[in-house]
Amino acid sequence: MKKIVVVVDMQNDFIDGSLGTKEAQTMLPRLKEKLQKITASGEADLIFTMDTHGENYLSTQEGQNLPVEHCIKGTQGWEITPELQAFVEKARTVVEKPTFGSMELIKYVGDAAEVELVGLCTDICVISNAMLIKAAYPEIKVSVDSSCCAGVTPESHDNALAAMKMCQIKVQ
């Protein structure tokens, strides 16, 4: 059984696009360095997730609550940042997800001894997927590398990390 690192939603719209933040831009070099070490050592398999919406996004429940078009499939904003494309090519799989958490992702992590999550946004998609993995596989070690995540705001990032700690997800 191997470690899996889930790279959550490192897409252009969340970095420097319609929902981008300076925190996401600042975190990106640290994440790239981490992925370089992981792939060089072979210590873990990578899985990428992609927030994926259609042209009808604004008419969906999410779009009604967050009326900012983002990650529309086929657009530049939907694509994973060019800085991480070399790692996408080495990944076990890429999971397109229509909402925050992914039930499909759960299928790919059940054989792991440990699952670590990194990426965007700590307070929405990272926490959602960490909680789903922990609920589906309570004996798998689930962790989050807080230095390789960014939230919508620094405060919401910290709140999400605290919530995950309370649910026995290791925050490093």
Side-chain angles (χ1 to χ4, degrees), residues 41-172:
S41 70
E43 72 183 72
D45 288 344
L46 300 178
I47 296 176
F48 280 76
T49 70
M50 295 180 75
D51 195 42
T52 303
H53 302 295
E55 296 291 334
N56 68 334
Y57 172 75
L58 292 176
S59 66
T60 67
Q61 182 176 341
E62 181 183 328
Q64 295 295 307
N65 290 296
L66 178 62
V68 178
E69 286 190 345
H70 65 281
C71 297
I72 306 298
K73 188 169 184 168
T75 66
Q76 182 182 2
W78 172 74
E79 294 172 4
I80 293 172
T81 183
E83 286 88 344
L84 301 183
Q85 280 300 319
F87 305 107
V88 174
E89 295 168 13
K90 298 174 185 176
R92 179 190 281 192
T93 193
V94 177
V95 176
E96 293 180 18
K97 55 186 193 54
T99 189
F100 311 131
S102 173
M103 298 303 288
E104 183 180 347
L105 174 62
I106 301 303
K107 300 175 191 175
Y108 294 101
V109 300
D111 64 340
E114 180 180 352
V115 178
E116 180 179 2
L117 293 95
V118 294
L120 304 170
C121 293
T122 317
D123 43 342
I124 302 173
C125 294
V126 173
I127 191 173
S128 296
N129 286 292
M131 296 290 206
L132 284 171
I133 293 166
K134 191 66 176 169
Y137 305 107
E139 295 303 316
I140 290 179
K141 294 178 185 176
V142 180
S143 64
V144 173
D145 182 343
S146 63
S147 72
C148 290
C149 292
V152 175
T153 67
E155 297 79 17
S156 62
H157 168 81
D158 290 342
N159 289 339
L161 295 173
M164 287 186 276
K165 282 181 188 177
M166 292 302 296
C167 292
Q168 300 180 0
I169 295 166
K170 182 180 178 191
V171 175
Q172 43 197 25

